[in-house]
Every structure is written in structure tokens, then in C-alpha cells.
Amino acid sequence: MTVNAQQLQADLFEVRRARLQAIAYRMLGSSGDAEDAVQEAWLRLCRADTDQVRNLDAWLTTVVTRVCLSMLRARRSRREDLTDEQVHEPERDRREAPDPEREAVLTDSVGLALIVLLDTLGPAERLSFVLHDLFDVPFDEIGRIIERTPGAARQLASRARRRIQGAATPPAADAKRSREVVSAFLLASRGGDFEALLGVLDPDVVLRADTPAVRLGAPEEAFGSVAAGRFLFGRAGGAKLALVDGDVGAVWIRDDRPLVVFRFGIVGGLITSIGLTAERSRIDGLKLEVLT
């Protein structure tokens, strides 16, 4: 490939980078992982015979989403393999420190609540929903990416949509149940009852913390009730039950200021996802009401 051809290829990729980054972030919920996925797509483009690529947008979307799908599946497969050291010292990309400002911009553009809810979905469900509902990718293309029929992709997106809508707009009875679940979660952590804590956590619960929360000692991510429970045990008990933008959550207050906000995804009476937010600009943008 000539120098001019290489530059043209790089220019074409850069034009599409922002969209690919947005897709990857919604798929993975981490800007660092999203950048890794986009970089892998660039490397594959460099190795590909682009003369055979008719639709570069579709080709790059396919590549980056398949990379994300592999990363999501790898996350799930290693949940049972986490050691005690990994729970307290999560593996991170040490090549470059996270950029809190960039994380805040990305999360604000998506909505922390949506990221928390997306974490409750399986990889194929998440991919189908994100691509179709957020990026208008047709189901026939999604089907090719996940190696299923367009009808199966449509069903996955529909199932994901129902789960997200049901969790995002709970009826009064579900809101009452959510309050009971979160109260039981806080009581178990505060009272030192590990079995009770596990009892309100879904076996496949996902815990994610933003960069400032990680600096305070939280794991960047933890998979499964045991791993998440080990970190939360005795720590979450200091948080107070609260409404976070109208949803039942919790807030850890120090010196009369909210230091960490807990947001929960709850399905079937179990906590399926927990998001920890300590970024000051994000907290300031939340409507918080401490419940007694």
C-alpha cells in the first residue's frame, strides 16, 4: 500500500472513529475497553484487503461489535475465576491512566442509568439492542454479526427492550419492592450478614465503579455475587437509602456531602447490577433525596 493510500485509509477511519467509539462504549460500559476495541478494528483494517470492502461503515461496525462481543463473553467466562486478589486489586489497563473528564462526557451522553441496565443483558441481547435501538442498524446486518437469523436478532433486541423498559419505568408495586430489596442489601452489609447479602444479589450481578470511586478503593468491575459481595460486605452499610433521579438507590455521605452514589438494576427481586459514582460533576447533576 502506498503512503497516499495509507493516509486515505487512516482519514476514512478517523471520520468513523467517533461513531465506533460510541458503539463500543455502549457495548462495554468502559471508555478504556471501548478504545481497545476501536484500536483492534483499526489494526484489522490495516491488515484487510480493502479493495474487497464495499461498505466500509458496515465492515467497521461488524468488526468492532464482534470484538466487543468477544470481550463481553470473556468477562462472563472469567466471573467464576476471580481470585481474592482480583476482587481487591482489579486488573486494569496500566498503559494509560483513565481520563475522568472523558469518562464523564461519555457517561453523560449515554446516561449512567442506561449503562447500569445494559449490564443486566447477555452479550447477544446487548449487541442487538444497542445496534438496532441506538444506532439504527438493520436486523439482517445484526444477524450476520452474531451469526443468527434476522428474526432471532429481532427477538433478542425485543427481549432486551422489555427488560430495560421494565426496569427503567417500574410500577408502584415494583418501586416498593425495589426499596425493600435495597434496604435489605444495606441492612445485610451493615449487619455483617454475608449470606443475607448474597441472598439479594443475583448470581450474575455486575458491579462497576467510575474512576473516582476506584480511587476510593472500589474495584473497577466485579462479576458475580461472591466477588461483588466481598467488596460490598461491611462497606455499603454506611450508605443511606435514597432516591436517585427518582429511582431507589443509595448514597454514602461524608461531611454532609454525597461522596458515592449507588445505582441498582433490579430484576425479579434481585440486584442484577450496581453502579458506583463518585465523580463530583456527575453527582452534582443528580437529583438526590435521602430516605428515612
Side-chain angles (χ1 to χ4, degrees):
M1 183 181 297
T2 65
V3 173
N4 287 340
Q6 290 176 338
Q7 185 59 52
L8 176 61
Q9 186 181 68
D11 290 343
L12 291 172
F13 184 83
E14 286 304 316
V15 169
R16 294 160 174 81
R17 179 183 289 275
R19 181 175 184 272
L20 296 174
Q21 180 78 15
I23 291 173
Y25 181 71
R26 286 158 177 79
M27 285 289 298
L28 300 170
S30 162
S31 65
D33 287 348
E35 288 175 358
D36 287 345
V38 172
Q39 182 63 18
E40 178 62 26
W42 163 246
L43 293 175
R44 294 189 186 187
L45 178 63
C46 291
R47 297 192 296 265
D49 181 1
T50 52
D51 291 337
Q52 303 300 315
V53 177
R54 296 183 179 181
N55 185 331
L56 185 60
D57 286 330
W59 189 90
L60 287 171
T61 298
T62 297
V63 170
V64 80
T65 49
R66 282 181 174 169
V67 171
C68 291
L69 191 61
S70 296
M71 294 172 74
L72 288 172
R73 287 170 173 165
R75 284 180 183 175
R76 293 174 72 90
S77 68
R78 73 171 185 261
R79 289 181 185 178
E80 298 302 323
D81 297 330
L82 286 173
T83 64
D84 290 343
E85 289 76 18
Q86 288 173 307
V87 171
H88 296 289
E89 294 291 337
E91 181 179 353
R92 303 186 185 94
D93 185 353
R94 290 177 168 80
R95 294 168 299 173
E96 180 181 355
D99 185 338
E101 182 177 356
R102 184 176 58 210
E103 290 276 6
V105 170
L106 284 170
T107 303
D108 288 345
S109 69
V110 180
L112 178 61
L114 178 58
I115 290 296
V116 171
L117 291 173
L118 287 174
D119 280 337
T120 69
L121 304 177
E125 283 181 330
R126 185 166 183 163
L127 185 148
S128 299
F129 174 81
V130 166
L131 289 185
H132 181 266
D133 285 41
L134 303 184
F135 292 95
D136 297 321
V137 177
F139 284 118
D140 57 349
E141 186 174 330
I142 296 173
R144 287 194 294 272
I145 293 173
I146 61 177
E147 299 179 340
R148 301 191 189 186
T149 65
R154 184 186 300 274
Q155 290 179 346
L156 286 168
S158 178
R159 188 166 63 197
R161 195 179 307 115
R162 288 195 301 270
R163 292 183 65 182
I164 286 177
Q165 290 173 345
T169 56
D174 286 348
K176 180 176 182 293
R177 178 57 177 151
S178 295
R179 180 167 178 166
E180 292 172 350
V181 170
V182 175
S183 295
F185 162 81
L186 295 174
L187 181 62
S189 179
R190 187 179 305 123
D193 190 339
F194 190 65
E195 290 301 318
L197 183 63
L198 294 181
V200 296
L201 298 177
D202 185 272
D204 293 324
V205 64
V206 177
L207 181 149
R208 292 191 187 283
D210 66 5
T211 301
V214 171
R215 293 196 186 107
L216 291 173
E220 186 175 17
E221 57 185 23
F223 300 101
S225 57
V226 174
R230 282 175 180 161
F231 167 71
L232 295 165
F233 187 57
R235 292 185 176 94
K240 296 182 178 180
L241 189 69
L243 291 179
V244 182
D245 283 346
D247 297 325
V248 179
V251 58
W252 180 26
I253 298 175
R254 188 173 68 184
D255 297 329
D256 296 325
R257 294 188 68 193
L259 188 66
V260 180
V261 173
F262 294 68
R263 303 192 77 158
F264 301 93
I266 299 174
V267 177
L270 294 176
I271 295 172
T272 56
S273 60
I274 304 170
L276 305 181
T277 303
E279 177 65 44
R280 176 50 47 192
S281 62
R282 297 185 206 173
I283 292 178
D284 289 343
L286 298 173
K287 181 180 179 181
L288 301 176
E289 179 184 351
V290 176
L291 302 173
T292 56

